[in-house]
Amino acid sequence: MSPRQRLSPADRRAQLLAVGARLFAARPYDDVLMEDVAKEAGVSRALLYRHFPSKHALFAVVYQQAADQLLADTRLDPADSLVEQLVQGMDVHLDYFIANRQAVLAVNRVLAGDPVIQSIMTNELDALRTRLLAVVPLAQESAREAVSAVLKSWLVFVQVLCVDWLTRETCTRTELRDSCIGALLGALRPLLGDDPAQGWPPQRPDADA
């Protein structure tokens, strides 16, 4: 057995988080043991517990990192059309959801009542709502509060729909994404002066002419 690699505390913590993220993505939350994380990282359980006192603590940091990265990867560039921004944001999140299916299910089901996990989720959704509100083409400032309420409800709708889809894929990934985008555009149209997405939904290659 090769000797354990010496790492700085920060590098060791990063390594343990990477191992934890990989295991939580691949296995149901209840099937991930701290012993597995320690073994995979090549460290003792005592060292692992010095960095993370419990599996819950490890998962919470893994999830916080994922939420931060999703926000960073969601561009919402005002130079793009609203539809282009929504497509990019949905693609980023769906890519993560599919690659980290078990972790997403843990957040939304196994740990659905956990205050720490729910706080991370709420903060991410609030940040997304704020950023979306900044790029929606408001015709009148008086519509801001109503649009904000629509965005809040839509983000929860997307969350529930995507979690259900991860459990049982009843449509294609593209159909799921476009259904989510279409739901928001339909809800926003009565509140905006100009149609935010003329020509939506996109025509499918096999659609009737």
Side-chain angles (χ1 to χ4, degrees), residues 89-102:
M90 283 296 306
D91 280 340
V92 165
H93 281 75
L94 286 173
D95 286 347
Y96 173 80
F97 293 164
I98 293 169
N100 297 271
R101 184 183 304 259
Q102 294 299 334

Side-chain angles (χ1 to χ4, degrees), residues 9-89:
D11 287 343
R12 180 63 71 190
R13 179 180 173 85
Q15 180 214 18
L16 295 172
L17 285 170
V19 170
R22 186 166 65 250
L23 293 180
F24 286 127
R27 305 180 193 174
Y29 179 81
D30 289 339
D31 291 351
V32 177
L33 305 177
M34 290 293 270
E35 290 83 351
D36 298 333
V37 177
K39 182 178 179 181
E40 189 84 9
V43 302
S44 67
R45 283 185 294 175
L47 189 151
L48 172 60
Y49 280 109
R50 283 204 294 273
H51 286 274
F52 302 100
S54 66
K55 180 171 75 170
H56 175 275
L58 174 62
F59 184 86
V61 179
V62 166
Y63 179 42
Q64 182 67 71
Q65 283 192 336
D68 292 343
Q69 190 61 53
L70 284 170
L71 285 173
D73 291 342
T74 303
R75 291 197 315 268
L76 296 180
D77 187 344
D80 294 334
S81 70
L82 179 60
V83 167
E84 288 171 330
Q85 294 176 76
L86 291 173
V87 167
Q88 191 272 339

Side-chain angles (χ1 to χ4, degrees), residues 6 28 30 53 84 89 110-111 119-121 153 155 160 165 170:
R6 287 189 173 276
D30 289 339
E84 288 171 330
V110 180
L111 300 172
S119 176
I120 297 170
M121 180 187 298
S153 298
L155 287 166
V160 172
W165 184 81
T170 53

Side-chain angles (χ1 to χ4, degrees), residues 7 27 31 78 96 103 109 130 136 139 158 162-163 167 178 187 195 209:
L7 298 175
R27 305 180 193 174
D31 291 351
Y96 173 80
R109 295 195 169 166
T130 298
V136 170
V158 170
C162 288
V163 170
T167 305
D178 290 352
D195 190 336

Side-chain angles (χ1 to χ4, degrees), residues 121-133 136 144-160 184 187-188 191:
M121 180 187 298
T122 298
N123 289 339
E124 184 200 1
L125 294 180
D126 284 347
L128 284 171
R129 178 174 50 151
T130 298
R131 293 171 64 181
L132 282 166
L133 189 58
V136 170
R144 180 175 296 275
E145 188 173 347
V147 170
S148 178
V150 167
L151 291 172
K152 181 178 182 179
S153 298
W154 178 73
L155 287 166
V156 175
F157 163 79
V158 170
Q159 177 186 7
V160 172
L184 179 59
L188 288 177
L191 300 172

Side-chain angles (χ1 to χ4, degrees), residues 138-145:
L138 296 173
Q140 296 180 336
E141 188 62 25
S142 59
R144 180 175 296 275
E145 188 173 347

